[in-house]
Short mmCIF file of all heavy atoms in Angstrom, two decimals:
data_model
loop_
_atom_site.label_atom_id
_atom_site.label_comp_id
_atom_site.label_asym_id
_atom_site.label_seq_id
_atom_site.Cartn_x
_atom_site.Cartn_y
_atom_site.Cartn_z
N LEU A 438 87.47 124.14 112.20
CA LEU A 438 86.46 123.53 111.34
C LEU A 438 85.14 123.34 112.07
O LEU A 438 84.07 123.53 111.50
CB LEU A 438 86.95 122.18 110.82
CG LEU A 438 87.91 122.22 109.64
CD1 LEU A 438 88.43 120.82 109.35
CD2 LEU A 438 87.23 122.79 108.39
N ARG A 439 85.25 122.95 113.35
CA ARG A 439 84.01 122.77 114.13
C ARG A 439 83.28 124.11 114.27
O ARG A 439 82.06 124.16 114.21
CB ARG A 439 84.32 122.18 115.50
CG ARG A 439 84.58 120.68 115.51
CD ARG A 439 83.33 119.85 115.30
NE ARG A 439 83.64 118.42 115.29
CZ ARG A 439 82.99 117.51 114.54
NH1 ARG A 439 81.99 117.87 113.76
NH2 ARG A 439 83.33 116.25 114.60
N ALA A 440 84.06 125.18 114.43
CA ALA A 440 83.45 126.51 114.54
C ALA A 440 82.77 126.88 113.22
O ALA A 440 81.62 127.36 113.20
CB ALA A 440 84.52 127.54 114.90
N GLU A 441 83.47 126.59 112.13
CA GLU A 441 82.89 126.88 110.81
C GLU A 441 81.60 126.09 110.61
O GLU A 441 80.60 126.59 110.10
CB GLU A 441 83.92 126.53 109.72
CG GLU A 441 83.40 126.80 108.31
CD GLU A 441 84.27 126.19 107.23
OE1 GLU A 441 85.45 125.88 107.49
OE2 GLU A 441 83.75 126.01 106.11
N GLN A 442 81.66 124.83 111.05
CA GLN A 442 80.50 123.96 110.88
C GLN A 442 79.29 124.52 111.65
O GLN A 442 78.16 124.53 111.14
CB GLN A 442 80.85 122.56 111.38
CG GLN A 442 79.75 121.53 111.18
CD GLN A 442 80.10 120.19 111.81
OE1 GLN A 442 80.60 120.14 112.94
NE2 GLN A 442 79.87 119.12 111.08
N ALA A 443 79.56 125.00 112.86
CA ALA A 443 78.47 125.55 113.68
C ALA A 443 77.83 126.75 112.98
O ALA A 443 76.60 126.88 112.95
CB ALA A 443 79.01 125.95 115.06
N GLU A 444 78.67 127.59 112.39
CA GLU A 444 78.15 128.75 111.63
C GLU A 444 77.29 128.28 110.47
O GLU A 444 76.20 128.79 110.23
CB GLU A 444 79.33 129.59 111.10
CG GLU A 444 79.99 130.48 112.14
CD GLU A 444 78.96 131.33 112.88
OE1 GLU A 444 78.19 132.05 112.20
OE2 GLU A 444 78.92 131.26 114.13
N LYS A 445 77.83 127.28 109.74
CA LYS A 445 77.11 126.80 108.55
C LYS A 445 75.77 126.18 108.93
O LYS A 445 74.79 126.32 108.21
CB LYS A 445 77.97 125.77 107.81
CG LYS A 445 79.14 126.41 107.10
CD LYS A 445 79.61 125.58 105.94
CE LYS A 445 80.32 126.47 104.94
NZ LYS A 445 81.27 125.75 104.12
N ARG A 446 75.78 125.48 110.04
CA ARG A 446 74.54 124.82 110.45
C ARG A 446 73.44 125.84 110.71
O ARG A 446 72.27 125.58 110.43
CB ARG A 446 74.78 123.95 111.69
CG ARG A 446 75.40 122.63 111.29
CD ARG A 446 75.53 121.65 112.41
NE ARG A 446 76.11 120.41 111.86
CZ ARG A 446 76.62 119.44 112.57
NH1 ARG A 446 76.63 119.52 113.90
NH2 ARG A 446 77.11 118.37 112.00
N LYS A 447 73.85 126.98 111.24
CA LYS A 447 72.85 128.04 111.48
C LYS A 447 72.19 128.45 110.17
O LYS A 447 71.03 128.83 110.13
CB LYS A 447 73.53 129.26 112.13
CG LYS A 447 73.82 129.07 113.60
CD LYS A 447 74.41 130.35 114.19
CE LYS A 447 75.30 130.02 115.38
NZ LYS A 447 76.37 131.01 115.55
N LYS A 448 72.98 128.37 109.09
CA LYS A 448 72.44 128.78 107.78
C LYS A 448 71.81 127.59 107.04
O LYS A 448 71.40 127.73 105.88
CB LYS A 448 73.58 129.35 106.92
CG LYS A 448 74.11 130.69 107.42
CD LYS A 448 75.13 131.28 106.45
CE LYS A 448 76.54 130.96 106.93
NZ LYS A 448 77.59 131.32 105.99
N GLY A 449 71.79 126.45 107.70
CA GLY A 449 71.19 125.28 107.06
C GLY A 449 72.11 124.57 106.08
O GLY A 449 71.70 123.70 105.33
N GLU A 450 73.39 124.94 106.09
CA GLU A 450 74.33 124.27 105.18
C GLU A 450 74.84 122.98 105.81
O GLU A 450 74.99 122.88 107.02
CB GLU A 450 75.50 125.21 104.86
CG GLU A 450 75.07 126.36 103.95
CD GLU A 450 76.20 127.36 103.73
OE1 GLU A 450 77.38 126.97 103.71
OE2 GLU A 450 75.87 128.56 103.58
N LEU A 451 75.11 122.00 104.95
CA LEU A 451 75.47 120.67 105.44
C LEU A 451 76.96 120.43 105.25
O LEU A 451 77.43 120.24 104.13
CB LEU A 451 74.67 119.60 104.71
CG LEU A 451 73.14 119.74 104.80
CD1 LEU A 451 72.46 118.73 103.89
CD2 LEU A 451 72.68 119.56 106.25
N MET A 452 77.67 120.46 106.34
CA MET A 452 79.11 120.22 106.29
C MET A 452 79.45 119.16 107.33
O MET A 452 78.92 119.18 108.44
CB MET A 452 79.84 121.52 106.61
CG MET A 452 81.32 121.34 106.89
SD MET A 452 82.02 122.88 107.54
CE MET A 452 83.57 122.26 108.19
N GLY A 453 80.33 118.24 106.97
CA GLY A 453 80.64 117.15 107.90
C GLY A 453 82.12 116.97 108.14
O GLY A 453 82.94 117.21 107.24
N ILE A 454 82.44 116.56 109.36
CA ILE A 454 83.83 116.21 109.68
C ILE A 454 83.79 114.76 110.18
O ILE A 454 83.14 114.46 111.17
CB ILE A 454 84.40 117.12 110.78
CG1 ILE A 454 84.24 118.60 110.38
CG2 ILE A 454 85.87 116.79 111.04
CD1 ILE A 454 84.41 119.56 111.54
N GLY A 455 84.46 113.90 109.48
CA GLY A 455 84.43 112.49 109.84
C GLY A 455 85.80 111.99 110.23
O GLY A 455 86.80 112.30 109.58
N ILE A 456 85.83 111.24 111.33
CA ILE A 456 87.10 110.74 111.84
C ILE A 456 87.05 109.22 111.89
O ILE A 456 86.03 108.65 112.28
CB ILE A 456 87.33 111.28 113.27
CG1 ILE A 456 87.48 112.80 113.21
CG2 ILE A 456 88.56 110.64 113.91
CD1 ILE A 456 87.40 113.45 114.56
N SER A 457 88.13 108.60 111.51
CA SER A 457 88.26 107.19 111.87
C SER A 457 89.66 106.97 112.41
O SER A 457 90.63 107.54 111.90
CB SER A 457 87.98 106.27 110.68
OG SER A 457 89.15 105.99 109.98
N THR A 458 89.73 106.21 113.47
CA THR A 458 91.03 105.81 113.99
C THR A 458 91.04 104.30 113.87
O THR A 458 90.25 103.61 114.49
CB THR A 458 91.21 106.26 115.45
OG1 THR A 458 90.05 105.92 116.20
CG2 THR A 458 91.43 107.75 115.53
N TYR A 459 91.93 103.83 113.01
CA TYR A 459 91.85 102.41 112.68
C TYR A 459 93.07 101.67 113.21
O TYR A 459 94.13 102.25 113.43
CB TYR A 459 91.78 102.23 111.15
CG TYR A 459 93.10 102.53 110.49
CD1 TYR A 459 94.04 101.52 110.29
CD2 TYR A 459 93.43 103.82 110.11
CE1 TYR A 459 95.27 101.80 109.72
CE2 TYR A 459 94.66 104.11 109.54
CZ TYR A 459 95.58 103.09 109.35
OH TYR A 459 96.80 103.36 108.81
N GLY A 460 92.89 100.38 113.41
CA GLY A 460 94.01 99.50 113.67
C GLY A 460 93.85 98.33 112.73
O GLY A 460 92.75 98.01 112.31
N GLU A 461 94.93 97.72 112.35
CA GLU A 461 94.78 96.56 111.49
C GLU A 461 95.77 95.48 111.88
O GLU A 461 96.75 95.73 112.58
CB GLU A 461 94.91 96.93 110.02
CG GLU A 461 96.22 97.58 109.63
CD GLU A 461 96.47 97.50 108.13
OE1 GLU A 461 96.00 96.54 107.51
OE2 GLU A 461 97.15 98.38 107.61
N ILE A 462 95.47 94.29 111.44
CA ILE A 462 96.34 93.16 111.71
C ILE A 462 97.06 92.84 110.41
O ILE A 462 96.46 92.64 109.38
CB ILE A 462 95.53 91.97 112.28
CG1 ILE A 462 96.41 90.74 112.50
CG2 ILE A 462 94.36 91.60 111.40
CD1 ILE A 462 95.70 89.64 113.28
N CYS A 463 98.39 92.83 110.47
CA CYS A 463 99.19 92.72 109.25
C CYS A 463 100.29 91.68 109.41
O CYS A 463 100.44 91.08 110.47
CB CYS A 463 99.88 94.05 108.96
SG CYS A 463 98.82 95.24 108.22
N ALA A 464 101.07 91.59 108.37
CA ALA A 464 102.27 90.77 108.38
C ALA A 464 101.93 89.32 108.74
O ALA A 464 102.48 88.73 109.66
CB ALA A 464 103.30 91.34 109.36
N PHE A 465 101.00 88.76 107.98
CA PHE A 465 100.56 87.38 108.23
C PHE A 465 101.70 86.43 107.94
O PHE A 465 102.23 86.40 106.84
CB PHE A 465 99.38 87.03 107.31
CG PHE A 465 98.14 87.73 107.71
CD1 PHE A 465 98.00 89.07 107.43
CD2 PHE A 465 97.14 87.07 108.40
CE1 PHE A 465 96.85 89.75 107.82
CE2 PHE A 465 96.01 87.73 108.79
CZ PHE A 465 95.85 89.07 108.51
N GLY A 466 101.98 85.74 108.93
CA GLY A 466 101.71 85.91 110.35
C GLY A 466 102.27 84.66 110.95
O GLY A 466 102.85 83.82 110.28
N PRO A 467 102.16 84.47 112.21
CA PRO A 467 102.66 83.21 112.77
C PRO A 467 101.97 82.02 112.08
O PRO A 467 100.76 82.04 111.88
CB PRO A 467 102.24 83.30 114.24
CG PRO A 467 102.00 84.76 114.49
CD PRO A 467 101.54 85.34 113.19
N SER A 468 102.74 81.02 111.73
CA SER A 468 102.17 79.90 110.96
C SER A 468 100.96 79.23 111.62
O SER A 468 100.01 78.90 110.93
CB SER A 468 103.25 78.87 110.66
OG SER A 468 104.19 79.44 109.77
N PRO A 469 100.98 79.01 112.95
CA PRO A 469 99.81 78.34 113.52
C PRO A 469 98.52 79.13 113.31
O PRO A 469 97.43 78.57 113.39
CB PRO A 469 100.15 78.27 115.02
CG PRO A 469 101.64 78.39 115.09
CD PRO A 469 102.03 79.26 113.94
N ALA A 470 98.63 80.42 113.02
CA ALA A 470 97.43 81.24 112.86
C ALA A 470 97.08 81.48 111.40
O ALA A 470 96.20 82.27 111.09
CB ALA A 470 97.64 82.58 113.56
N THR A 471 97.77 80.82 110.48
CA THR A 471 97.48 81.04 109.06
C THR A 471 97.29 79.69 108.37
O THR A 471 97.89 78.70 108.78
CB THR A 471 98.64 81.80 108.36
OG1 THR A 471 99.86 81.22 108.77
CG2 THR A 471 98.66 83.26 108.72
N PRO A 472 96.48 79.64 107.34
CA PRO A 472 96.15 78.36 106.73
C PRO A 472 97.33 77.67 106.03
O PRO A 472 97.37 76.45 105.98
CB PRO A 472 95.07 78.71 105.70
CG PRO A 472 94.61 80.07 106.00
CD PRO A 472 95.68 80.76 106.77
N ALA A 473 98.29 78.43 105.50
CA ALA A 473 99.29 77.77 104.64
C ALA A 473 100.71 78.10 105.02
O ALA A 473 101.61 78.08 104.19
CB ALA A 473 99.03 78.15 103.19
N GLY A 474 100.96 78.40 106.27
CA GLY A 474 102.32 78.81 106.64
C GLY A 474 102.39 80.32 106.63
O GLY A 474 101.98 80.97 105.68
N GLY A 475 102.95 80.87 107.70
CA GLY A 475 102.99 82.32 107.81
C GLY A 475 104.38 82.88 107.67
O GLY A 475 104.58 84.09 107.78
N TRP A 476 105.34 82.01 107.40
CA TRP A 476 106.73 82.45 107.27
C TRP A 476 106.96 83.03 105.87
O TRP A 476 106.07 83.02 105.04
CB TRP A 476 107.65 81.25 107.50
CG TRP A 476 107.24 80.04 106.72
CD1 TRP A 476 106.42 79.04 107.15
CD2 TRP A 476 107.55 79.75 105.35
NE1 TRP A 476 106.21 78.13 106.14
CE2 TRP A 476 106.91 78.55 105.03
CE3 TRP A 476 108.34 80.37 104.40
CZ2 TRP A 476 106.99 77.96 103.76
CZ3 TRP A 476 108.43 79.80 103.13
CH2 TRP A 476 107.76 78.60 102.83
N GLU A 477 108.14 83.51 105.64
CA GLU A 477 108.53 83.87 104.27
C GLU A 477 110.01 83.54 104.11
O GLU A 477 110.73 83.35 105.10
CB GLU A 477 108.21 85.33 103.97
CG GLU A 477 108.22 85.70 102.49
CD GLU A 477 107.45 84.70 101.61
OE1 GLU A 477 106.22 84.87 101.44
OE2 GLU A 477 108.09 83.77 101.10
N SER A 478 110.45 83.45 102.85
CA SER A 478 111.81 82.99 102.58
C SER A 478 112.58 83.99 101.74
O SER A 478 111.98 84.78 101.00
CB SER A 478 111.77 81.66 101.83
OG SER A 478 111.23 81.88 100.53
N ALA A 479 113.88 83.94 101.87
CA ALA A 479 114.75 84.75 101.01
C ALA A 479 116.05 84.00 100.79
O ALA A 479 116.54 83.31 101.70
CB ALA A 479 115.04 86.10 101.64
N THR A 480 116.58 84.13 99.58
CA THR A 480 117.92 83.62 99.28
C THR A 480 118.74 84.79 98.75
O THR A 480 118.22 85.59 97.97
CB THR A 480 117.86 82.51 98.22
OG1 THR A 480 117.18 81.39 98.78
CG2 THR A 480 119.26 82.07 97.78
N VAL A 481 119.95 84.88 99.21
CA VAL A 481 120.86 85.88 98.66
C VAL A 481 122.07 85.15 98.11
O VAL A 481 122.68 84.33 98.81
CB VAL A 481 121.32 86.90 99.72
CG1 VAL A 481 122.14 88.01 99.07
CG2 VAL A 481 120.12 87.51 100.44
N LYS A 482 122.38 85.42 96.85
CA LYS A 482 123.56 84.80 96.22
C LYS A 482 124.52 85.91 95.86
O LYS A 482 124.09 86.92 95.29
CB LYS A 482 123.20 84.14 94.88
CG LYS A 482 122.21 83.04 94.90
CD LYS A 482 122.26 82.26 93.59
CE LYS A 482 121.75 83.07 92.39
NZ LYS A 482 121.49 82.24 91.22
N ILE A 483 125.76 85.70 96.13
CA ILE A 483 126.76 86.63 95.62
C ILE A 483 127.61 85.86 94.61
O ILE A 483 128.14 84.79 94.91
CB ILE A 483 127.62 87.21 96.76
CG1 ILE A 483 126.69 87.88 97.79
CG2 ILE A 483 128.63 88.22 96.20
CD1 ILE A 483 127.39 88.62 98.89
N ASP A 484 127.67 86.39 93.40
CA ASP A 484 128.41 85.72 92.33
C ASP A 484 129.91 85.90 92.53
O ASP A 484 130.34 86.79 93.28
CB ASP A 484 128.01 86.32 90.98
CG ASP A 484 126.56 86.03 90.64
OD1 ASP A 484 126.04 85.03 91.16
OD2 ASP A 484 125.96 86.81 89.88
N PRO A 485 130.72 85.12 91.81
CA PRO A 485 132.18 85.26 91.92
C PRO A 485 132.64 86.70 91.65
O PRO A 485 133.64 87.16 92.19
CB PRO A 485 132.72 84.31 90.85
CG PRO A 485 131.67 83.26 90.72
CD PRO A 485 130.37 83.95 90.97
N SER A 486 131.88 87.44 90.84
CA SER A 486 132.26 88.81 90.53
C SER A 486 131.79 89.80 91.58
O SER A 486 132.01 91.00 91.46
CB SER A 486 131.68 89.20 89.18
OG SER A 486 130.26 89.13 89.26
N GLY A 487 131.06 89.31 92.58
CA GLY A 487 130.60 90.20 93.65
C GLY A 487 129.22 90.78 93.42
O GLY A 487 128.72 91.54 94.23
N LYS A 488 128.57 90.41 92.32
CA LYS A 488 127.21 90.90 92.06
C LYS A 488 126.22 90.07 92.89
O LYS A 488 126.43 88.87 93.09
CB LYS A 488 126.86 90.78 90.58
CG LYS A 488 127.82 91.52 89.67
CD LYS A 488 127.59 93.02 89.69
CE LYS A 488 128.51 93.69 88.67
NZ LYS A 488 128.52 95.13 88.81
#
Side-chain angles (χ1 to χ4, degrees):
Chain A
L438 280 174
R439 282 287 179 213
E441 180 192 340
Q442 184 185 44
E444 283 308 306
K445 287 205 156 155
R446 280 186 178 165
K447 283 184 208 151
K448 291 186 262 172
E450 289 175 32
L451 303 173
M452 167 190 165
I454 306 164
I456 295 167
S457 91
T458 47
Y459 72 90
E461 59 161 330
I462 177 170
C463 281
F465 289 75
S468 293
T471 45
W476 48 268
E477 197 47 88
S478 68
T480 294
V481 186
K482 299 196 292 194
I483 304 186
D484 294 335
S486 61
K488 303 284 184 190

